[in-house]
Amino acid sequence: MWLGPEEVLLAGALWVTERANPFFLLQRRRGHGKGGGLTGLLVGTLDVVLDSSARVAPYRILHQTQDSQVYWAVACGSSRKEITKHWEWLENNLLQTLSIFDNEEDITTFVKGKIHGIIAEENKNEQPQSEEDPGKFKEAELKMRKQFGMPEVEKLVNYYSCSYWKGRVPRQGWLYLTVNHLCFYSFLLGKEVTLVIQWVDVTQLEKNATLLFPECIKVSTRDSELYFSMFLNINETFKLMEQLANIAMRQLLDNESFLQDKSLPKPRKPLKNISALKRDLDARAKNECYRATFRLPKDECLDGHTDCTLWTPFNKMHIPGQMFVSNNYICFASKAEEACHLIVPLREVTIVEKADSSSVLPSPLSISTKSKMTFFFANLKDRDFLVQRISDFLQRTPSKKPCSIEREWKWNLADPGCEEVPELPSSSPLAVSPMSALSNRPVNFCAGEVPTASQGLLKLFRRNSEELLGPKGAKEKMKEESWNIHFSEYGRGMCMYRTAKTRGLVQKGIPENLRGELWLLFSGAWNEMVTHPGYYADLVEKSMGKYNLATEEIERDLHRSMPEHPAFQNELGIAALRRVLTAYAFRNPTIGYCQAMNIVTSVLLLYCNEEEAFWLLVALCERMLPDYYNTRVVGALVDQGIFEELTREYLPQLSEKMQDLGVISTISLSWFLTLFLSVMPFESAVVIVDCFFYEGIKFILQVSLAILDANMEKLLQCCDEGEAMTILGRYLDNVVNRQSISPPIPHLHALLTSGDDPPLEIDIFELIKTSYEKFSNLKADDIEQMRFKQRLKVIQSLEDTAKKSVVRAVSSDIGFSIEELEELYVVFKAKYLMSCYWGNNRAAAARRDQSLPYLEQYRIDVEQFKELFISLTPWSCGAHTPVLAGRLFRLLDENRDSLINFKEFVTGMSGMYHGDLTEKLKVLYKLHLPPALNPEETESALEATSYFTEDVTTEVSPFVSELDFCLHCESQETQEDKERRSENGPEKEEKGTSPQDYRYYLRMWAKEKESKKETIKDLPKMSQEQFIELCKTLYNMFSEDPVEQELYHAIATVASLLLRIGEVGKKFSNRPMRKSEDCKANNTQDPVSEEESPTSEQSQNSAVEQRPQADHEDKTCGDAQPEKTQQENQTLGDGSGEGQGSPLQLLSDDETKDDMSMSSYSMVSTGSLQCEDIADDTVLVGCEGSSSAASFR
């Protein structure tokens, strides 16, 4: 390719000049090509270590002038052909022009300008985004594609210099990280190392340091462990590898392929050697961390962040931290973890202004909100730019009416007078909430007309109000007052300052009147609800009356959701639960409905109205507990792995015992999926939910550790899993909430409590306090890191399980061994994934449905099948192989959806590898019949048909007479009548005696019940055009081996005669002969097409000779083939039928003896023609061999 002219000081160093003229030199890198010796090895090693461009482009063209010592590189090439093309262009277009110049500087200037012009012209048609990547990076990407054979769609993310440890010897080279692969290349003194690993095959990534390996990265797959070290920035490399592996796992989990974000803001400063993809991944990582920290919607994108200080009025301090700005939010996080968090939605912002700077407050910024709160930020480095960005976002943010509802509604909930009122006045903010349109009218959904719950069900179904006047009621009022004081100091709503004091109040339990509000705020569900007004009502309306698998499961579980609570003992609660679960199933069909969602949702409905419960469920399933509620509960399994790892770290004595008992895998799913709601009394579990919405999964893990720690002594003495489960069940049944104002609800697990001693009660708040004291050092960032590590293990384990299930399902009907099937499954899956990586329209990824059985999840199209067929088939047909592959694909695609699954794939391959001789012949025969054979493919055969049609007139009369033809039909009819009488005689006798009747019918019934195996008699007949296509396939299947050539010529002779005989039959069938018509009316001949037997059998025998690894039976048939051919020729010559030593006696296949009523080879005799079997489009005919011989004798 042409290069922007670059100065070269030493033109002869490590380069050899091959061509020269007064103005240009064509050079080759030393050691490239043939030979090279020690110099070539040294130069090659140097190129790899120094990442020289000469490794990819070993040819170059330099511009020179006679008196100058400076050379200019103007072109380079990866092959001699490419560089020669450039050289010839220079000679033809520039040499004559350059000879006119007198000044050498003008010559150099002209050459530079000309080369720049060529480059600019070539770049006109290139996509503009390609210019985002720096030149050095493009060069590295070119090296990667050439070295590893990657297509252009495989994008390089970044590359690093490092060492790969092969044994105890480090190999210095380059590590290339692409979107789908990890690649490594090293060349040291003639020893080359090339590694290519798919990210989907990685089972573990670790960064560690040992005595043998210095600080290194360990990459584990199912088959090997690879160690890479000596990185300049190992942390950056490891982080990028984690991201890419995580993307691959997401693709396996939910079929989400990687799509580059084209809307990334361009960097303000040019970045060296950093690709647009690397910036994309960095931005994704920051966005995920930003959204997780502040519980923001999934589509929120971070625009930037800067260091600053925030004035906190509650303690009169400037707290250092970072400000984050995105499309819809301004957030602040203090450097001290628990000091302060702040979230300011831009929809709430009214004024953003720059205050006057001072020595105390440099570069201050004031932001005011609709709720009359003002936030002061200071020490901003680029305040003007920040203000401009915030102003731009504010202009794009429409004012939302629900924002005013937000403030009024929250204050209204704090009003004690609202507690006992089941029906709200029309002026209440709840009446004009986004749910008002739905709550003011009855909703008919699955079961009658029921009103929509417009407030928490607990307020409508509070059974005992005496508790409100007792000590518990006073305690509840104190909690509410504490929160009201907190609101007055720290603010209320989304803009509240969230500090350690906030967490302390949550740990003491949220008052029932504030629980719904605070759940919405802490989970971030409120943000999504106010920005999507009417969304839930529309979903409910669209989902009404529609049924699918999810709705059936929902209906089944509705009455199992807290049946002990009065709110779900009537149609109001059941209908509300049905609507919320159904609406979410329609919102997210990937999840649909999963068991345990009903339990969690029923608790949400107790404290929130339907719309709020719906958005809380969205936050729970899609952000706070990712992948928990899919078909394989991957998220719960991931956190179960984290729980086991934390148990080993914090409770090492108990960890080994729990692993032996297998308890952790049992308890963790029920604890995590339902947030302890199904295993703990409701009044206690709801406090767990309070803390969970504030802290996230970190709190669930630390409470689980506290429960194990409290029962350590008893668990260590357990003998089996059942005893351990009973101990933990009794413990959880007796976790009580003595401060609850609601009457106790009977708990289903209380049945586990037994024994004479009264159970020891555990206060829920003491349990929470203990969990914070012992295990509060858990960090959210550490848990996310552990989640990635466990996700690799879990998904790969699920993939292994899927492979075993598929192999077990197909192994009974397939000739391959279990090991062979597993290897084929890996190849099949890899081919599918390649189509996801490099497919033009990502159609392959779109067709994978996770809800389908494992066997149906991976399916390939015809192009992928052709690639697999060419590499795996034992039937080599040269250029004809892709055609044969397409036919086999159409034959296997029974449902005609242009896709085949693994079972269909191995069924076709097994027929070629492990089928007996007859099965292989059937496959070859079927490949030349519809649907395998397209109608278009037979058009070319019509030209060959015309050849035989023209030639047939000269051979009709010498071949057979009309009288002989009719006599043959009569003799055939007579013979058949005799056989029919002989067969029917015993049958009538058997039916005539009553004792034998039941046995006869039992045998007939048994035959019907048996799965009928397809025989040769069941195959349809083949037309002349189809037979010609079969001959083409046979021609392509033979090699140039003399023995095979001799065999093929024999087969070709027989095929030619068959075609001629078919034309004779067509001639006779067209004549109006009365006797012939009578024969057609009376004769009931076997409909099997005899054509496939000789040709197909011989073709298979020829294929056997090409495969030395074939079985003994195939070899025997192959050896006998020349003898058969000789006998065929003899049969053709004298017209004799079957007799001693005829080819029929050489056939050892039992099925052929049973199903064929004649010799497969007697059909080529002149006496084998039958008028009733000859049609316009049929070549081959069938008849009784004995009658054929008799009629012509």
Side-chain angles (χ1 to χ4, degrees), residues 133-403:
D133 296 337
K136 185 71 175 174
F137 187 85
K138 289 182 181 178
E139 185 179 306
E141 190 168 37
L142 183 63
K143 295 175 188 174
M144 179 271 298
R145 287 181 184 149
K146 180 184 177 184
Q147 192 64 54
F148 304 104
M150 298 290 181
E152 289 190 7
V153 292
E154 182 70 3
K155 299 296 184 183
L156 178 65
V157 180
N158 213 346
Y159 62 103
Y160 303 92
S161 174
C162 68
S163 292
Y164 162 62
W165 290 80
K166 191 172 183 180
R168 297 189 177 183
V169 180
R171 301 294 180 90
Q172 184 66 28
W174 290 88
L175 182 70
Y176 297 90
L177 304 181
T178 71
V179 173
N180 302 299
H181 297 84
L182 178 152
C183 307
F184 176 83
Y185 179 77
S186 172
F187 181 87
L188 292 176
L189 300 179
K191 293 187 177 181
E192 189 177 46
V193 177
T194 303
L195 297 174
V196 178
I197 300 170
Q198 293 188 61
W199 289 117
V200 292
D201 293 333
V202 174
T203 58
Q204 190 176 11
L205 277 177
E206 285 184 318
K207 183 178 65 175
N208 51 27
T210 62
L211 293 176
L212 179 60
F213 302 110
E215 191 174 27
C216 66
I217 295 175
K218 175 185 174 184
V219 181
S220 300
T221 65
R222 292 178 177 85
D223 305 321
S224 60
E225 294 182 350
L226 311 175
Y227 293 87
F228 300 93
S229 64
M230 300 184 187
F231 291 92
L232 294 177
N233 191 340
I234 191 171
N235 292 326
E236 176 192 336
T237 308
F238 184 70
K239 183 178 179 182
L240 180 58
M241 293 170 76
E242 279 187 329
Q243 284 182 277
L244 293 170
N246 200 30
I247 289 172
M249 293 305 106
R250 298 301 312 180
Q251 186 172 354
L252 286 177
L253 176 60
D254 52 21
N255 217 29
E256 287 184 4
S257 56
F258 176 80
L259 295 175
Q260 185 177 352
D261 186 2
K262 301 296 184 181
S263 61
L264 280 178
K266 291 189 176 182
R268 299 172 66 187
K269 298 179 181 180
L271 302 174
K272 294 182 179 181
N273 298 341
I274 296 181
S275 66
L277 275 176
K278 178 67 167 61
R279 293 195 299 112
D280 186 348
L281 290 172
D282 289 343
R284 290 179 186 224
K286 291 179 180 178
N287 286 335
E288 290 173 2
C289 182
Y290 170 63
R291 290 192 292 261
T293 302
F294 299 103
R295 308 277 172 80
L296 299 178
K298 293 179 70 174
D299 56 351
E300 195 65 22
C301 295
L302 178 65
D303 186 70
H305 58 90
T306 182
D307 293 334
C308 66
T309 59
L310 172 66
W311 170 256
T312 51
F314 50 86
N315 58 3
K316 306 297 189 290
M317 291 178 61
H318 290 280
I319 299 179
Q322 282 189 320
M323 174 192 284
F324 301 85
V325 180
S326 60
N327 301 358
N328 301 293
Y329 299 89
I330 299 173
C331 302
F332 175 86
S334 59
K335 291 184 178 179
E337 185 179 1
E338 295 296 331
C340 182
H341 272 205
L342 178 66
I343 303 171
V344 182
L346 290 181
R347 64 178 182 269
E348 290 289 316
V349 174
T350 56
I351 300 173
V352 177
E353 58 182 353
K354 295 182 284 188
D356 295 334
S357 298
S358 65
S359 57
V360 180
L361 284 177
S363 302
L365 180 66
S366 171
I367 298 177
S368 301
T369 66
K370 297 175 183 177
S371 56
K372 311 301 181 186
M373 295 183 70
T374 303
F375 305 98
F376 290 99
F377 298 92
N379 294 289
L380 294 165
K381 294 181 180 178
D382 198 348
R383 184 177 62 168
D384 294 338
F385 177 76
L386 179 64
V387 171
Q388 183 60 44
R389 293 298 293 169
I390 295 175
S391 300
D392 293 341
F393 289 136
L394 282 173
Q395 291 176 1
R396 304 175 200 166
T397 305
S399 58
K400 302 273 185 183
K401 290 184 179 180
C403 297

Side-chain angles (χ1 to χ4, degrees), residues 38-54:
L38 181 60
T39 304
L41 294 178
L42 293 173
V43 173
T45 301
L46 193 63
D47 288 341
V48 171
V49 173
L50 299 180
D51 194 29
S52 170
S53 60

